[in-house]
Amino acid sequence: MKVNLERIVRKINNLTVQREKNQLIISERRRNGRPSKELRLPQHILLTKEVIEAFGLFFGEGTRTQEYNRIEFGNTEPQLLRRFINLLKEFNIKNSEIRVKINIYKEDAEIRSDDELKSYWSKELDIPFQNFQKITWYQKRGTRKEAAKFGTVQLRAYHKLLVRIFILTFYQVMQLALSHTQVAQHFLRGIFAAEGFIERRGKSIHKVGVSCKKDKEIVYKLLRKVGLAPGKYNERMRGFPIRGITNFGIILKLKLFELHPKKHEKFMNGIV
């Protein structure tokens, strides 16, 4: 299965599109006649499970507004950030073109030097040190937030035209997830990694769930698509609770927490 980027691009007004072998050369026609920054994209995005999972991550913790002319994804886990970087590479975005913003609470910080913290993430993500923006240090985190000793990283790719194409591609993948069970499974792995939670009583799991202040109906349909039976949306937890051995068995079989190492370990320890 694949997404035809040429079809997506041709839905956007005021674009010039040319083909060169397997690449699309795209530019924006501006009113004053000055050429825009040229964009080169593949004709197709192959929907591997890794690509679909990364779009699921973006569903959970990506910025979908086009207001800032950038693609943005934030997380604390290096594995998930690297997975999203690999998705950007599908759109011909190099590591050297990604900007990084770090937000961190002083009370949690294991590294308290700006340069050392940037160096740590530069090495983890293979992104040049000079691509890191000014670090934001917060004084005190809320009681509901978990400690993140290396901060929360926001990956940013700036390109007005690319943002529009990326968002349209994302929505197409999301629609495929709603209609194809296997795509839904991979998409949900990304969502569970980004917005899934696990509550335990003693050593056993009491419930799991998915936080979703937005897109409640879509999340519910995706959960039902793979056979899960969530409870009613809970305003206090801002998500759908999922209880019961049958549901837990489906989550285990589909490996829905597998992308997030800490959540996966917590889930596996709770069902043993």
Side-chain angles (χ1 to χ4, degrees), residues 4-244:
N4 188 322
L5 287 187
E6 184 172 2
R7 289 181 184 174
I8 290 175
V9 170
R10 294 194 182 278
K11 292 179 181 178
I12 303 173
N13 294 328
N14 300 319
L15 295 186
T16 299
V17 184
Q18 296 177 310
R19 291 184 188 176
E20 186 179 282
K21 296 183 180 179
N22 294 323
Q23 295 280 305
L24 301 174
I25 305 173
I26 307 160
S27 58
E28 188 174 16
R29 296 192 296 269
R30 297 193 177 179
R31 292 180 181 178
N32 60 9
R34 296 174 59 188
S36 64
K37 182 179 178 182
E38 187 177 271
L39 179 64
R40 288 176 176 261
L41 292 175
Q43 288 187 27
H44 301 92
I45 297 291
L46 184 63
L47 293 183
T48 64
K49 75 179 187 66
E50 291 81 10
V51 166
I52 299 168
E53 288 166 356
F55 275 117
L57 287 172
F58 185 74
F59 179 98
E61 295 192 328
T63 301
R64 288 183 239 170
T65 177
Q66 299 179 40
E67 180 181 356
Y68 303 111
N69 295 329
R70 68 188 181 218
I71 301 167
E72 183 172 276
F73 170 76
N75 206 275
T76 61
E77 293 294 323
Q79 296 95 321
L80 302 185
L81 292 163
R82 286 193 288 266
R83 178 64 65 95
F84 193 75
I85 288 171
N86 287 337
L87 175 61
L88 294 179
K89 289 178 181 177
E90 297 290 331
F91 290 82
N92 291 345
I93 300 175
K94 302 174 183 177
N95 287 32
S96 59
E97 297 173 299
I98 299 172
R99 299 293 181 266
V100 182
K101 172 70 175 175
I102 302 171
N103 301 312
I104 189 166
Y105 291 93
K106 286 186 176 181
E107 64 180 295
D108 299 334
E110 184 166 307
I111 299 174
R112 295 185 178 271
S113 159
D114 281 27
D115 284 353
E116 288 181 17
L117 190 57
K118 290 178 182 179
S119 294
Y120 168 82
W121 281 112
S122 177
K123 184 177 180 180
E124 283 285 340
L125 304 177
D126 193 26
I127 292 176
F129 181 91
Q130 62 268 24
N131 288 24
F132 284 71
Q133 299 171 337
K134 182 179 179 180
I135 295 176
T136 298
W137 293 87
Y138 296 109
Q139 294 299 321
K140 189 176 182 180
R141 65 178 159 85
T143 55
R144 295 183 65 180
K145 289 184 176 290
E146 294 186 7
K149 60 184 180 180
F150 297 109
T152 300
V153 170
Q154 293 174 319
L155 302 173
R156 295 172 172 177
Y158 292 86
H159 196 298
K160 179 181 177 181
L161 179 54
L162 181 59
V163 171
R164 295 159 69 187
I165 297 169
F166 183 89
I167 296 296
L168 287 173
T169 306
F170 160 76
Y171 281 117
Q172 184 166 327
V173 174
M174 185 177 72
Q175 290 303 317
L176 288 171
L178 289 168
S179 57
H180 294 79
T181 302
Q182 190 170 25
V183 178
Q185 293 172 9
H186 300 321
F187 199 77
L188 277 171
R189 283 187 195 138
I191 295 177
F192 269 68
E195 295 292 353
F197 60 85
I198 302 162
E199 290 187 15
R200 292 167 60 172
R201 287 184 178 174
K203 295 182 179 180
S204 300
I205 295 176
H206 171 56
K207 64 184 173 188
V208 304
V210 179
S211 298
C212 51
K213 287 187 278 187
K214 300 178 180 179
D215 302 313
K216 301 173 190 176
E217 184 179 345
I218 291 171
V219 171
Y220 182 81
K221 287 181 177 179
L222 289 169
L223 294 172
R224 295 296 297 145
K225 188 70 178 176
V226 300
L228 289 167
K232 292 182 179 180
Y233 185 83
N234 187 305
E235 291 290 348
R236 182 186 62 81
M237 69 173 59
R238 301 172 186 171
F240 291 100
I242 302 171
R243 299 182 176 91

